[in-house]
């Protein structure tokens, strides 16, 4: 599926270091933020309940390009990304613009806050058009997963 190339060097699209947030702040984010998805990024709408059911835009990267991802799995990946601190920088009391996660197959996903509702997120798979970003997120994910499993 063709998609437009996203901007590659954006300072707001960087993962904050682990010490940027405490476990308490990350837990508060898990409680406050939620993954809702977007019909613009769905080929197979699954159980999201979009009305109309879905309307993928050709210029958007679908999160379900390789397989259907149901809301429970997407929400779980979103929470795991926050728990590991895989978030972009944000101001005190605010919310990150981005949250990153990796599924069991090693596919990298990026969730982005909806501009009109900063506590609700939609996501998409980081595809072949952004290999450097994918490698960056995978490396950071592996490091943080190793650290939490010790």
């Amino acid at each position: 599926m063709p998609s437009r190339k996203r901007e590659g060097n954006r300072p707001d699209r960087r993962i904050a270091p682990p010490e940027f947030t405490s476990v308490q702040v990350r837990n508060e984010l898990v409680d406050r933020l939620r993954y809702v998805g977007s019909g613009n990024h769905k080929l197979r709408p699954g159980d999201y309940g979009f009305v109309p059911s879905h309307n993928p835009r050709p210029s958007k990267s679908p999160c379900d390009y390789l397989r259907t991802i149901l809301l429970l799995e997407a929400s779980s990946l979103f929470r795991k990304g926050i728990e590991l601190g895989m978030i972009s920088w944000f101001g005190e009391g605010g919310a990150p613009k981005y949250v990153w996660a990796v599924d069991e197959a090693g596919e990298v996903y990026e969730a982005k806050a909806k501009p009109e509702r900063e506590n609700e997120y939609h996501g998409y798979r980081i595809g072949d058009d952004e290999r450097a970003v994918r490698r960056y997120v995978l490396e950071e994910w592996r490091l943080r997963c190793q650290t939490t499993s010790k």
Side-chain angles (χ1 to χ4, degrees):
M1 165 164 225
S3 65
R4 71 177 166 83
K5 188 169 176 68
R6 287 190 291 275
E7 297 173 43
N9 189 17
R10 297 191 42 202
D12 66 339
R13 203 170 170 221
R14 300 280 185 269
I15 302 168
E19 62 275 7
F20 172 66
T21 55
S22 65
V23 171
Q24 178 183 346
V25 167
R26 291 191 300 268
N27 287 339
E28 289 169 2
L29 290 172
V30 165
D31 290 341
R32 184 165 49 99
L33 309 180
R34 68 186 195 118
Y35 182 83
V36 296
S38 167
N40 293 331
H41 294 278
K42 298 278 181 259
L43 296 174
R44 298 173 285 271
D47 61 350
Y48 289 80
F50 295 129
V51 178
S53 63
H54 70 296
N55 186 21
R57 291 189 191 156
S59 64
K60 300 292 184 182
S61 299
C63 67
D64 56 358
Y65 180 71
L66 299 177
R67 64 184 179 83
T68 300
I69 299 174
L70 299 178
L71 184 56
L72 181 64
E73 179 185 1
S75 296
S76 177
L77 285 168
F78 180 71
R79 279 190 308 276
K80 180 74 172 176
I82 295 170
E83 289 167 355
L84 291 175
M86 297 287 294
I87 56 178
S88 59
W89 296 85
F90 62 97
E92 189 175 328
K97 182 174 183 178
Y98 297 99
V99 176
W100 293 273
V102 178
D103 71 10
E104 290 184 10
E107 292 299 327
V108 176
Y109 297 90
E110 180 175 83
K112 184 176 178 182
K114 292 186 170 233
E116 66 279 5
R117 288 183 232 125
E118 78 166 13
N119 291 340
E120 293 184 355
Y121 290 73
H122 68 280
Y124 35 85
R125 181 178 156 267
I126 297 180
D128 294 335
D129 61 332
E130 293 190 287
R131 286 189 178 103
V133 174
R134 192 169 57 201
R135 276 193 307 272
Y136 165 63
V137 173
L138 272 170
E139 182 178 314
E140 195 63 35
W141 182 266
R142 288 183 184 126
L143 285 170
R144 294 182 190 212
C145 284
Q146 288 173 354
T147 303
T148 60
S149 66
K150 289 181 181 180

